[in-house]
């Protein structure tokens, strides 16, 4: 997976590990576009440890994360 960091202005993509953290020496905040995360769906399930969360894209163009 490739992600962009704010330091790059959102243009250059940096390779990432499966954890989603940038592999560069400097640990910058990671940005992932919601379109890429949702992959054309209105809702996705996200596993965090042993817990599952639901990320929904609403009709009002908002994102809602619920447990």
């Amino acid at each position: 997976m490739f992600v962009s960091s704010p330091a790059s202005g959102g243009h250059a993509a940096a390779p990432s590990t499966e954890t989603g953290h940038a592999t560069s020496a400097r640990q910058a905040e990671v940005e992932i576009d919601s379109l890429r995360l949702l992959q054309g769906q209105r809702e996705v399930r996200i596993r965090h440890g042993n817990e599952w969360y639901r990320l929904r894209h609403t009709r009002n163009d908002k994102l809602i994360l619920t447990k």
Side-chain angles (χ1 to χ4, degrees):
M1 172 173 36
F2 288 93
V3 294
S4 65
S5 68
S8 67
H11 299 292
S16 68
T17 63
E18 287 189 24
T19 60
H21 296 291
T23 56
S24 67
R26 189 175 111 208
Q27 289 295 320
E29 192 174 280
V30 176
E31 290 182 355
I32 300 173
D33 191 279
S34 64
L35 294 174
R36 184 174 193 155
L37 187 62
L38 291 166
Q39 299 178 11
Q41 303 297 311
R42 298 300 288 185
E43 186 174 297
V44 294
R45 289 180 53 190
I46 301 170
R47 185 176 51 132
H48 179 68
N50 293 328
E51 302 291 332
W52 283 95
Y53 295 83
R54 209 173 287 275
L55 179 66
R56 291 186 297 131
H57 180 204
T58 69
R59 283 183 263 166
N60 295 328
D61 202 29
K62 305 289 183 192
L63 293 177
I64 299 176
L65 180 66
T66 56
K67 191 167 183 181

